[in-house]
Amino acid sequence: MRGAGEPPFPVAQPAGTGGEACEDARPGPAADTPMGSERTEIRKRQMATTPETPGAAQAQLSTGNRGSNACCFCWCCCCSCSCLTVRNQEEERARRTSHELQVEGIPNCEESPAPTLEEVNAWAQSFDKLMLTPAGRNAFREFLRTEFSEENMLFWMACEELKQESNKSVIEEKARLIYEDYISILSPKEVSLDSRVREVINRNMLEPSQHTFDDAQLQIYTLMHRDSYPRFMNSAIYKDLLQSLSEKSIEA
């Protein structure tokens, strides 16, 4: 028989010393006790100071490497990225072109006596008179060099030399060199030609002759006449030459 006030069934006591209970098992307000807050802070500190696992560090390193070398907003391997391949090819071509220009240097101007005052005045009358004399071509070529378009004059002169050849093998060799130097889109000295003229040249190159580049030569001649010649007449190169010869004429 149970005494008065005793519970009808025995109550299980928690493990451990009497009266002790697991703090985490306490419901409700127990979590807000000072002990609970202290444990929460300890967990936060442990998580903040826990070192990254090797796998995570390696993944982060891999991501960082990709990010530093990524291009085109893609996470791709730069060894196989097509846009970087093109960029590398262009840089290599630029370095090769620079080296070739340093080796070849700037071609020498034509040998010619110093121009007279009458000749220099005649240059202002027409572009044809300027191009007829070596001194006129040299002065005009010097001006084109300041505008980075000297290749136009060089191409025109190469075509004139080709017209003077009669040996078939020499013609074929010179035609090939002219094509590589001034027609090929890979050349740093490529001249500006329209598609029609380029098609004519490609057909003519099947059997090169003295007149393979006639259409192209005429187009470049017209370009120099309309575009560069007016600026040459107003340039310091022409005005200084004209003034120098005028002063010498007065002193004489």
Side-chain angles (χ1 to χ4, degrees):
M1 294 296 293
R2 300 181 182 273
E6 292 184 2
F9 300 100
V11 178
Q13 294 296 328
T17 59
E20 292 182 355
C22 179
E23 294 290 338
D24 293 338
R26 292 179 182 177
D32 296 331
T33 62
M35 182 65 69
S37 300
E38 183 178 355
R39 292 191 177 187
T40 302
E41 291 298 326
I42 293 175
R43 291 196 198 98
K44 289 182 179 179
R45 293 172 186 172
Q46 290 176 346
M47 293 176 64
T49 58
T50 301
E52 296 179 353
T53 61
Q58 184 176 3
Q60 183 177 1
L61 178 60
S62 177
T63 303
N65 290 340
R66 287 191 312 229
S68 62
N69 294 328
C71 54
C72 293
F73 303 100
C74 61
W75 296 101
C76 59
C77 178
C78 290
C79 295
S80 59
C81 183
S82 59
C83 60
L84 281 185
T85 301
V86 173
R87 187 189 307 171
N88 292 335
Q89 291 175 350
E90 291 176 350
E91 292 176 354
E92 178 63 24
R93 184 185 305 167
R95 287 193 293 268
R96 184 169 59 253
T97 298
S98 176
H99 175 71
E100 291 173 355
L101 291 178
Q102 292 175 0
V103 172
E104 295 176 0
I106 300 176
N108 296 325
C109 293
E110 296 178 85
E111 294 183 2
S112 65
T116 64
L117 179 60
E118 290 75 18
E119 287 178 334
V120 175
N121 282 324
W123 297 349
Q125 298 175 10
S126 71
F127 183 63
D128 292 338
K129 291 184 178 181
L130 169 68
M131 294 291 286
L132 280 176
T133 62
R137 291 193 293 270
N138 285 338
F140 187 55
R141 179 177 167 185
E142 181 181 355
F143 168 75
L144 292 178
R145 190 177 301 165
T146 65
E147 292 196 336
F148 304 98
S149 58
E150 184 186 12
E151 65 274 3
N152 291 331
M153 176 64 77
L154 296 177
F155 171 70
W156 185 88
M157 294 171 60
C159 292
E160 288 294 300
E161 292 180 4
L162 180 63
K163 292 178 181 178
Q164 307 302 321
E165 297 293 342
S166 57
N167 186 286
K168 184 177 180 180
S169 61
V170 175
I171 291 174
E172 291 178 351
E173 178 64 15
K174 285 193 173 184
R176 182 185 63 81
L177 293 176
I178 291 174
Y179 187 94
E180 292 178 355
D181 288 343
Y182 305 109
I183 308 301
S184 173
I185 60 175
L186 300 178
S187 173
K189 296 183 291 184
E190 177 194 6
V191 296
S192 178
L193 300 171
D194 59 37
S195 58
R196 181 193 64 83
V197 172
R198 287 185 176 276
E199 290 177 1
V200 172
I201 292 176
N202 290 334
R203 290 197 301 267
N204 292 341
M205 285 299 293
L206 297 177
E207 294 183 5
S209 69
Q210 300 99 317
H211 306 287
T212 294
F213 304 100
D214 282 1
D215 289 350
Q217 185 186 20
L218 177 60
Q219 189 170 92
I220 294 302
Y221 187 91
T222 303
L223 176 65
M224 291 190 294
H225 183 192
R226 295 178 179 177
D227 186 56
S228 302
Y229 173 65
R231 291 198 298 272
F232 169 70
M233 299 309 303
N234 293 317
S235 68
I237 293 177
Y238 177 75
K239 290 181 179 181
D240 291 348
L241 179 60
L242 182 62
Q243 181 179 357
S244 175
L245 292 175
S246 297
E247 293 175 354
K248 290 181 179 179
S249 177
I250 294 174
E251 293 175 357

